[in-house]
PDB file of all heavy atoms in Angstrom:
ATOM      1  N   VAL A 230      -0.363  11.771   3.192  1.00 83.00           N
ATOM      2  CA  VAL A 230      -1.657  11.950   2.555  1.00 83.00           C
ATOM      3  C   VAL A 230      -2.713  12.154   3.642  1.00 83.00           C
ATOM      4  O   VAL A 230      -2.598  11.620   4.744  1.00 83.00           O
ATOM      5  CB  VAL A 230      -2.004  10.726   1.666  1.00 83.00           C
ATOM      6  CG1 VAL A 230      -2.126   9.457   2.496  1.00 83.00           C
ATOM      7  CG2 VAL A 230      -3.273  10.952   0.860  1.00 83.00           C
ATOM      8  N   GLN A 231      -3.734  12.945   3.336  1.00 84.00           N
ATOM      9  CA  GLN A 231      -4.838  13.123   4.276  1.00 84.00           C
ATOM     10  C   GLN A 231      -5.864  12.025   4.057  1.00 84.00           C
ATOM     11  O   GLN A 231      -6.301  11.767   2.936  1.00 84.00           O
ATOM     12  CB  GLN A 231      -5.492  14.496   4.092  1.00 84.00           C
ATOM     13  CG  GLN A 231      -6.616  14.752   5.102  1.00 84.00           C
ATOM     14  CD  GLN A 231      -7.119  16.178   5.075  1.00 84.00           C
ATOM     15  OE1 GLN A 231      -6.436  17.072   4.576  1.00 84.00           O
ATOM     16  NE2 GLN A 231      -8.304  16.417   5.623  1.00 84.00           N
ATOM     17  N   LEU A 232      -6.273  11.367   5.152  1.00 89.00           N
ATOM     18  CA  LEU A 232      -7.226  10.257   5.081  1.00 89.00           C
ATOM     19  C   LEU A 232      -8.636  10.688   5.472  1.00 89.00           C
ATOM     20  O   LEU A 232      -9.617  10.162   4.958  1.00 89.00           O
ATOM     21  CB  LEU A 232      -6.776   9.120   6.003  1.00 89.00           C
ATOM     22  CG  LEU A 232      -5.375   8.544   5.770  1.00 89.00           C
ATOM     23  CD1 LEU A 232      -5.019   7.546   6.872  1.00 89.00           C
ATOM     24  CD2 LEU A 232      -5.295   7.879   4.406  1.00 89.00           C
ATOM     25  N   ASP A 233      -8.715  11.604   6.421  1.00 88.00           N
ATOM     26  CA  ASP A 233     -10.020  12.009   6.959  1.00 88.00           C
ATOM     27  C   ASP A 233      -9.812  13.308   7.737  1.00 88.00           C
ATOM     28  O   ASP A 233      -8.697  13.835   7.772  1.00 88.00           O
ATOM     29  CB  ASP A 233     -10.570  10.907   7.881  1.00 88.00           C
ATOM     30  CG  ASP A 233     -12.108  10.883   7.920  1.00 88.00           C
ATOM     31  OD1 ASP A 233     -12.720  11.954   7.686  1.00 88.00           O
ATOM     32  OD2 ASP A 233     -12.674   9.810   8.197  1.00 88.00           O
ATOM     33  N   GLN A 234     -10.855  13.789   8.372  1.00 87.00           N
ATOM     34  CA  GLN A 234     -10.712  14.960   9.218  1.00 87.00           C
ATOM     35  C   GLN A 234     -11.888  15.019  10.179  1.00 87.00           C
ATOM     36  O   GLN A 234     -12.916  14.381   9.966  1.00 87.00           O
ATOM     37  CB  GLN A 234     -10.634  16.247   8.400  1.00 87.00           C
ATOM     38  CG  GLN A 234     -11.902  16.570   7.615  1.00 87.00           C
ATOM     39  CD  GLN A 234     -11.738  17.815   6.776  1.00 87.00           C
ATOM     40  OE1 GLN A 234     -10.689  18.052   6.202  1.00 87.00           O
ATOM     41  NE2 GLN A 234     -12.789  18.619   6.684  1.00 87.00           N
ATOM     42  N   ALA A 235     -11.708  15.773  11.252  1.00 91.00           N
ATOM     43  CA  ALA A 235     -12.779  15.946  12.233  1.00 91.00           C
ATOM     44  C   ALA A 235     -12.556  17.267  12.952  1.00 91.00           C
ATOM     45  O   ALA A 235     -11.447  17.783  12.998  1.00 91.00           O
ATOM     46  CB  ALA A 235     -12.786  14.786  13.221  1.00 91.00           C
ATOM     47  N   ARG A 236     -13.624  17.778  13.529  1.00 89.00           N
ATOM     48  CA  ARG A 236     -13.506  19.015  14.292  1.00 89.00           C
ATOM     49  C   ARG A 236     -13.120  18.662  15.723  1.00 89.00           C
ATOM     50  O   ARG A 236     -13.909  18.082  16.471  1.00 89.00           O
ATOM     51  CB  ARG A 236     -14.817  19.791  14.266  1.00 89.00           C
ATOM     52  CG  ARG A 236     -14.692  21.213  14.828  1.00 89.00           C
ATOM     53  CD  ARG A 236     -16.032  21.934  14.772  1.00 89.00           C
ATOM     54  NE  ARG A 236     -16.443  22.214  13.404  1.00 89.00           N
ATOM     55  CZ  ARG A 236     -16.138  23.339  12.740  1.00 89.00           C
ATOM     56  NH1 ARG A 236     -15.391  24.263  13.317  1.00 89.00           N
ATOM     57  NH2 ARG A 236     -16.550  23.532  11.511  1.00 89.00           N
ATOM     58  N   GLY A 237     -11.903  18.982  16.094  1.00 90.00           N
ATOM     59  CA  GLY A 237     -11.423  18.693  17.437  1.00 90.00           C
ATOM     60  C   GLY A 237     -10.555  17.443  17.479  1.00 90.00           C
ATOM     61  O   GLY A 237     -10.710  16.516  16.680  1.00 90.00           O
ATOM     62  N   MET A 238      -9.618  17.446  18.421  1.00 93.00           N
ATOM     63  CA  MET A 238      -8.623  16.376  18.530  1.00 93.00           C
ATOM     64  C   MET A 238      -9.252  15.025  18.873  1.00 93.00           C
ATOM     65  O   MET A 238      -8.921  14.006  18.273  1.00 93.00           O
ATOM     66  CB  MET A 238      -7.584  16.768  19.598  1.00 93.00           C
ATOM     67  CG  MET A 238      -6.361  15.906  19.601  1.00 93.00           C
ATOM     68  SD  MET A 238      -5.350  16.237  18.143  1.00 93.00           S
ATOM     69  CE  MET A 238      -3.930  15.204  18.425  1.00 93.00           C
ATOM     70  N   LYS A 239     -10.155  15.011  19.843  1.00 94.00           N
ATOM     71  CA  LYS A 239     -10.720  13.736  20.290  1.00 94.00           C
ATOM     72  C   LYS A 239     -11.472  13.022  19.169  1.00 94.00           C
ATOM     73  O   LYS A 239     -11.310  11.822  18.961  1.00 94.00           O
ATOM     74  CB  LYS A 239     -11.642  13.967  21.485  1.00 94.00           C
ATOM     75  CG  LYS A 239     -12.053  12.688  22.183  1.00 94.00           C
ATOM     76  CD  LYS A 239     -12.726  12.963  23.514  1.00 94.00           C
ATOM     77  CE  LYS A 239     -13.061  11.648  24.225  1.00 94.00           C
ATOM     78  NZ  LYS A 239     -13.712  11.895  25.533  1.00 94.00           N
ATOM     79  N   LYS A 240     -12.270  13.779  18.424  1.00 95.00           N
ATOM     80  CA  LYS A 240     -13.017  13.171  17.314  1.00 95.00           C
ATOM     81  C   LYS A 240     -12.070  12.677  16.220  1.00 95.00           C
ATOM     82  O   LYS A 240     -12.315  11.639  15.595  1.00 95.00           O
ATOM     83  CB  LYS A 240     -14.015  14.175  16.743  1.00 95.00           C
ATOM     84  CG  LYS A 240     -15.194  14.451  17.669  1.00 95.00           C
ATOM     85  CD  LYS A 240     -16.157  15.458  17.049  1.00 95.00           C
ATOM     86  CE  LYS A 240     -17.337  15.721  17.986  1.00 95.00           C
ATOM     87  NZ  LYS A 240     -18.257  16.748  17.435  1.00 95.00           N
ATOM     88  N   ALA A 241     -10.990  13.428  15.998  1.00 95.00           N
ATOM     89  CA  ALA A 241     -10.019  13.003  14.979  1.00 95.00           C
ATOM     90  C   ALA A 241      -9.330  11.702  15.391  1.00 95.00           C
ATOM     91  O   ALA A 241      -9.100  10.814  14.563  1.00 95.00           O
ATOM     92  CB  ALA A 241      -8.991  14.102  14.749  1.00 95.00           C
ATOM     93  N   LEU A 242      -9.002  11.584  16.674  1.00 96.00           N
ATOM     94  CA  LEU A 242      -8.362  10.350  17.156  1.00 96.00           C
ATOM     95  C   LEU A 242      -9.302   9.163  17.023  1.00 96.00           C
ATOM     96  O   LEU A 242      -8.885   8.045  16.683  1.00 96.00           O
ATOM     97  CB  LEU A 242      -7.916  10.523  18.608  1.00 96.00           C
ATOM     98  CG  LEU A 242      -6.759  11.510  18.828  1.00 96.00           C
ATOM     99  CD1 LEU A 242      -6.527  11.742  20.323  1.00 96.00           C
ATOM    100  CD2 LEU A 242      -5.468  11.024  18.167  1.00 96.00           C
ATOM    101  N   VAL A 243     -10.588   9.368  17.287  1.00 96.00           N
ATOM    102  CA  VAL A 243     -11.577   8.286  17.121  1.00 96.00           C
ATOM    103  C   VAL A 243     -11.648   7.870  15.658  1.00 96.00           C
ATOM    104  O   VAL A 243     -11.694   6.678  15.333  1.00 96.00           O
ATOM    105  CB  VAL A 243     -12.959   8.714  17.650  1.00 96.00           C
ATOM    106  CG1 VAL A 243     -14.024   7.687  17.251  1.00 96.00           C
ATOM    107  CG2 VAL A 243     -12.921   8.877  19.163  1.00 96.00           C
ATOM    108  N   LYS A 244     -11.638   8.853  14.766  1.00 96.00           N
ATOM    109  CA  LYS A 244     -11.658   8.520  13.327  1.00 96.00           C
ATOM    110  C   LYS A 244     -10.402   7.765  12.922  1.00 96.00           C
ATOM    111  O   LYS A 244     -10.442   6.863  12.077  1.00 96.00           O
ATOM    112  CB  LYS A 244     -11.807   9.800  12.490  1.00 96.00           C
ATOM    113  CG  LYS A 244     -13.205  10.377  12.514  1.00 96.00           C
ATOM    114  CD  LYS A 244     -13.495  11.207  11.265  1.00 96.00           C
ATOM    115  CE  LYS A 244     -14.975  11.555  11.182  1.00 96.00           C
ATOM    116  NZ  LYS A 244     -15.346  12.133   9.892  1.00 96.00           N
ATOM    117  N   MET A 245      -9.273   8.134  13.513  1.00 97.00           N
ATOM    118  CA  MET A 245      -8.038   7.414  13.233  1.00 97.00           C
ATOM    119  C   MET A 245      -8.156   5.956  13.671  1.00 97.00           C
ATOM    120  O   MET A 245      -7.792   5.039  12.922  1.00 97.00           O
ATOM    121  CB  MET A 245      -6.853   8.076  13.940  1.00 97.00           C
ATOM    122  CG  MET A 245      -5.531   7.358  13.724  1.00 97.00           C
ATOM    123  SD  MET A 245      -4.124   8.187  14.515  1.00 97.00           S
ATOM    124  CE  MET A 245      -4.474   7.857  16.244  1.00 97.00           C
ATOM    125  N   VAL A 246      -8.692   5.728  14.861  1.00 97.00           N
ATOM    126  CA  VAL A 246      -8.852   4.356  15.343  1.00 97.00           C
ATOM    127  C   VAL A 246      -9.856   3.591  14.477  1.00 97.00           C
ATOM    128  O   VAL A 246      -9.687   2.401  14.214  1.00 97.00           O
ATOM    129  CB  VAL A 246      -9.263   4.339  16.833  1.00 97.00           C
ATOM    130  CG1 VAL A 246      -9.512   2.904  17.300  1.00 97.00           C
ATOM    131  CG2 VAL A 246      -8.179   4.986  17.691  1.00 97.00           C
ATOM    132  N   ASP A 247     -10.891   4.273  13.989  1.00 96.00           N
ATOM    133  CA  ASP A 247     -11.832   3.641  13.055  1.00 96.00           C
ATOM    134  C   ASP A 247     -11.078   3.105  11.833  1.00 96.00           C
ATOM    135  O   ASP A 247     -11.321   1.977  11.375  1.00 96.00           O
ATOM    136  CB  ASP A 247     -12.880   4.647  12.578  1.00 96.00           C
ATOM    137  CG  ASP A 247     -13.873   5.041  13.659  1.00 96.00           C
ATOM    138  OD1 ASP A 247     -13.978   4.315  14.668  1.00 96.00           O
ATOM    139  OD2 ASP A 247     -14.548   6.087  13.485  1.00 96.00           O
ATOM    140  N   SER A 248     -10.173   3.929  11.311  1.00 95.00           N
ATOM    141  CA  SER A 248      -9.410   3.533  10.127  1.00 95.00           C
ATOM    142  C   SER A 248      -8.466   2.374  10.441  1.00 95.00           C
ATOM    143  O   SER A 248      -8.304   1.449   9.642  1.00 95.00           O
ATOM    144  CB  SER A 248      -8.608   4.727   9.597  1.00 95.00           C
ATOM    145  OG  SER A 248      -7.826   4.375   8.489  1.00 95.00           O
TER     146      SER A 248
END
Side-chain angles (χ1 to χ4, degrees):
V230 63
Q231 183 171 341
L232 303 173
D233 209 333
Q234 64 183 39
R236 190 180 292 270
M238 192 71 176
K239 191 168 183 180
K240 289 180 180 177
L242 291 172
V243 170
K244 285 206 169 190
M245 178 178 71
V246 176
D247 289 342
S248 178

